Amino acid sequence: RAFVRVERQTIWGLPTVGAALFTIRTYLYGVERFRVDPGLRAALGAALRSMSEESRRYKGLGEGFGELVEWVEGKSK
């Protein structure tokens, strides 16, 4: 099984006190959820394809990256 971890990051400026608030909300989704929804599948495929090589290495997606993209996009089983 594979999972997609999504982060939503926000920064709220608090100018009256000279500070900022940074928040992160994480979500975990099973990859199968993306395979059955064409819109989600396309969005995930586009996000994966937009990643730089450095970003792929950082996220542990160096080996097998092409196969992962093909699987997400429904081009392989």
Side-chain angles (χ1 to χ4, degrees), residues 8-22:
R8 179 167 187 239
Q9 301 180 1
T10 60
I11 299 175
W12 293 79
L14 306 168
T16 57
V17 293
L21 175 66
F22 175 72

Side-chain angles (χ1 to χ4, degrees), residues 5-10 22-26:
R5 181 177 186 267
V6 177
E7 290 185 357
R8 179 167 187 239
Q9 301 180 1
T10 60
F22 175 72
T23 64
I24 300 175
R25 170 73 162 102
T26 58

Side-chain angles (χ1 to χ4, degrees), residues 52-72:
S52 68
E53 183 66 31
E54 181 179 279
S55 184
R56 292 177 194 168
R57 278 194 306 273
Y58 172 77
K59 295 174 186 290
L61 297 173
E63 286 188 40
F65 180 78
E67 291 86 356
L68 173 64
V69 172
E70 288 180 3
W71 186 83
V72 166

